[in-house]
Amino acid sequence: MKIDIYPRNKKQFLRLIDFGKEIVSICKKFKITPIVYGSLAYLIYKKDKNIKVNDIDFLIPGNNFKKIIYILRKKGLLYKYIPEGRSLIIYKGNLNVDLDAYSKKPTKLKTFNFGGLNIKILSLKTLMGIYKRASETSKDNPKENYKKYLTLKKLK
């Protein structure tokens, strides 16, 4: 798979991809394999150039945040660690990359070309499950999450 479509915020998206690659390289130093999900994964599967991708969401094993924070401090990158949410948000200007912990490593993955890097992405079915669960449990835009779930379900 390859990113062969751009969202409506293409300029910001291209800068976001470069920043995402920087975070992936930090992860790889510790042999961490980040897994793409969220709006970037939605864009790749849906191929909807009318959406905006405002950040990149990666899943990683939760016990790696301290290692990554160490490197972020050395590089002078800003971040916000949210232990109760098991999340690390990394900032660079108006860009951000979210690293979210998984409890159980997803097994159904695909590989896609991420700005020249081969990287893992959740399978369509797994991504659908995340959006469905988020629509039922998240206070952060449940209607939009359900809409994305239904849209992805049509692609199956």
Side-chain angles (χ1 to χ4, degrees), residues 66-116:
K66 287 182 182 175
K67 297 174 194 173
I68 293 170
I69 287 170
Y70 174 78
I71 296 291
L72 296 175
R73 283 184 180 151
K74 283 180 77 168
K75 288 182 161 271
L77 288 170
L78 299 175
Y79 65 89
K80 180 179 180 182
Y81 177 50
I82 308 165
E84 64 279 0
R86 299 174 38 128
S87 185
L88 177 65
I89 305 167
I90 308 162
Y91 303 96
K92 188 174 197 178
N94 67 340
L95 306 173
N96 67 292
V97 171
D98 296 3
L99 300 179
D100 297 317
Y102 58 73
S103 315
K104 183 180 171 197
K105 184 176 182 178
T107 55
K108 298 196 177 185
L109 303 172
K110 295 187 176 251
T111 302
F112 83 103
N113 186 300
F114 179 74

Side-chain angles (χ1 to χ4, degrees), residues 35-149:
I35 302 166
V36 171
Y37 80 113
S39 58
L40 176 57
Y42 182 82
L43 171 72
I44 290 166
Y45 285 116
K46 177 69 172 97
K47 299 189 182 319
D48 181 356
K49 62 184 175 192
N50 293 313
I51 69 166
K52 286 176 81 176
V53 176
N54 295 315
D55 64 358
I56 296 178
D57 300 293
F58 289 113
L59 292 169
I60 65 167
N63 59 349
N64 290 290
F65 288 129
K66 287 182 182 175
K67 297 174 194 173
I68 293 170
I69 287 170
Y70 174 78
I71 296 291
L72 296 175
R73 283 184 180 151
K74 283 180 77 168
K75 288 182 161 271
L77 288 170
L78 299 175
Y79 65 89
K80 180 179 180 182
Y81 177 50
I82 308 165
E84 64 279 0
R86 299 174 38 128
S87 185
L88 177 65
I89 305 167
I90 308 162
Y91 303 96
K92 188 174 197 178
N94 67 340
L95 306 173
N96 67 292
V97 171
D98 296 3
L99 300 179
D100 297 317
Y102 58 73
S103 315
K104 183 180 171 197
K105 184 176 182 178
T107 55
K108 298 196 177 185
L109 303 172
K110 295 187 176 251
T111 302
F112 83 103
N113 186 300
F114 179 74
L117 296 174
N118 285 328
I119 194 154
K120 299 295 181 186
I121 183 173
L122 290 179
S123 70
L124 178 58
K125 185 177 179 180
T126 306
L127 185 63
M128 283 171 39
I130 285 177
Y131 277 117
K132 187 166 193 282
R133 222 172 12 265
S135 74
E136 298 164 349
T137 60
S138 174
K139 293 177 181 131
D140 187 28
N141 215 344
K143 287 181 182 177
E144 184 64 27
N145 288 323
Y146 191 67
K147 182 180 166 189
K148 286 182 178 181
Y149 161 72

Side-chain angles (χ1 to χ4, degrees), residues 15-47:
R15 291 181 26 252
L16 191 56
I17 292 295
D18 287 340
F19 183 42
K21 287 170 40 177
E22 185 178 345
I23 302 307
V24 167
S25 73
I26 290 171
C27 290
K28 292 205 181 244
K29 285 181 184 176
F30 296 110
K31 300 193 183 339
I32 300 166
T33 302
I35 302 166
V36 171
Y37 80 113
S39 58
L40 176 57
Y42 182 82
L43 171 72
I44 290 166
Y45 285 116
K46 177 69 172 97
K47 299 189 182 319

